[in-house]
Amino acid sequence: MRRPIVLVPACTRQIGPHPYHAAQLKYVDAVVLGADCAPMILPALGAALDLEASLSVCDGIMLTGSASNVHPSYYDQDVLDPSLPQDRARDATTLPLIRAALERGIPLIAVCRGFQEMNVALGGSLYQAVQEVEGKMDHREDPDASIEDQYGPAHDVILTQGGAFQRMLGGVERIAVNSLHGQGVDRLAPGIAVEAVSHDGLVEAFSVPSAPGFTLAVQWHPEWQILDNPASMAMFGAFGQACRAFQARREGRA
């Protein structure tokens, strides 16, 4: 039996004189090493993307982190800091992809920007600068630190008692996570269930209980050195199992 196919939507990047569709290796590796699935990078084609064709061949979707932010026009705000990168092509690709995938019950796991995309796609809004919100801490990484320190444990998240994520991790009450984001969930979209928060109350993980398939979105980066992190392996392992179950149903083997 072939491994399930997981779509990994790409970002757009300007590398030298040429534009690229790009996905970081660590996200692709997480699909392979954590979920035991076959990644397929999806170009950020926006309105030109054939959603039906793309969804017809996949058994799961992973929404990755990125240096860029979801454009605030999608939640009725103006850009707060024009110096921060945007990726309108990715927005135009992932937001309708999320809604279509959830309707079909396609398993979906989301990280950092992907976490924010899911909230916006379903009608929520974001803080564009969490560090400027009263009562919230600065969740950004130290730009002068080594990459190992940037992706090292930054704070704990408190898991929702009895929540789907807590059950997935065997009932633990909190886990240590890294923190490399300047934006975060402000207004939670309707139908979303909070699965974890940081000690300042910022939403750090959520699921969509009304969706017929697996959903998990987290604000941190579980893909970083995934083989060394049991919680990350449990998350991607559960996602991979959901992808295999979806594949079996789609192929009539369930």
Side-chain angles (χ1 to χ4, degrees):
M1 184 177 68
R2 68 168 177 82
R3 289 199 289 181
I5 293 173
V6 172
L7 295 182
V8 182
C11 300
T12 58
R13 288 282 187 273
Q14 188 75 25
I15 305 174
H18 301 291
Y20 286 77
H21 294 285
Q24 286 186 29
L25 268 64
K26 60 189 173 78
Y27 300 116
V28 173
D29 288 346
V31 172
V32 176
L33 300 175
D36 192 25
C37 293
M40 179 182 292
I41 297 174
L42 182 70
L45 298 177
L49 178 70
D50 188 329
L51 267 179
E52 293 299 326
S54 301
L55 294 174
S56 70
V57 300
C58 80
D59 306 299
I61 295 172
M62 180 188 178
L63 300 168
T64 71
S66 176
S68 68
N69 296 306
V70 180
H71 198 279
S73 62
Y74 286 101
Y75 47 95
D76 299 322
Q77 291 184 20
D78 296 325
V79 175
L80 182 65
D81 184 352
S83 71
L84 297 177
Q86 308 288 337
D87 190 341
R88 298 300 294 265
R90 171 161 168 165
D91 294 341
T93 302
T94 54
L95 299 182
L97 182 73
I98 290 165
R99 293 187 285 266
L102 292 178
E103 288 175 2
R104 290 161 173 78
I106 297 172
L108 199 158
I109 193 167
V111 169
C112 201
R113 188 197 209 269
F115 163 93
Q116 297 167 11
E117 285 172 330
M118 279 189 68
N119 188 52
V120 172
L122 298 178
S125 68
L126 303 176
Y127 295 123
Q128 293 189 55
V130 172
Q131 69 278 3
E132 296 179 6
V133 178
E134 184 176 358
K136 305 299 183 191
M137 64 183 185
D138 192 338
H139 287 256
R140 296 172 298 178
E141 72 278 17
D142 179 355
D144 297 322
S146 69
I147 190 166
E148 289 79 13
D149 287 339
Q150 288 179 355
Y151 279 89
H155 61 78
D156 285 357
V157 296
I158 304 158
L159 278 59
T160 299
Q161 191 69 28
F165 188 38
Q166 188 187 54
R167 296 195 301 273
M168 192 184 303
L169 298 188
V172 300
E173 295 185 353
R174 60 181 64 216
I175 58 173
V177 302
N178 50 37
S179 188
L180 300 93
H181 61 102
Q183 302 202 342
V185 167
D186 177 7
R187 184 183 71 253
L188 203 63
I192 282 179
V194 174
E195 298 287 352
V197 297
S198 55
H199 62 78
D200 61 358
L202 191 69
V203 177
E204 291 275 354
F206 63 72
S207 62
V208 186
S210 61
F214 175 100
T215 59
L216 179 64
V218 301
Q219 180 60 85
W220 64 93
H221 287 268
E223 82 286 351
W224 176 256
Q225 298 181 346
I226 186 171
L227 293 176
D228 298 326
N229 191 315
S232 297
M233 289 297 289
M235 292 164 53
F236 277 92
F239 170 66
Q241 186 57 40
C243 293
R244 282 182 282 278
F246 182 88
Q247 178 192 36
R249 291 194 299 273
R250 187 163 63 84
E251 295 180 352
R253 294 184 285 104

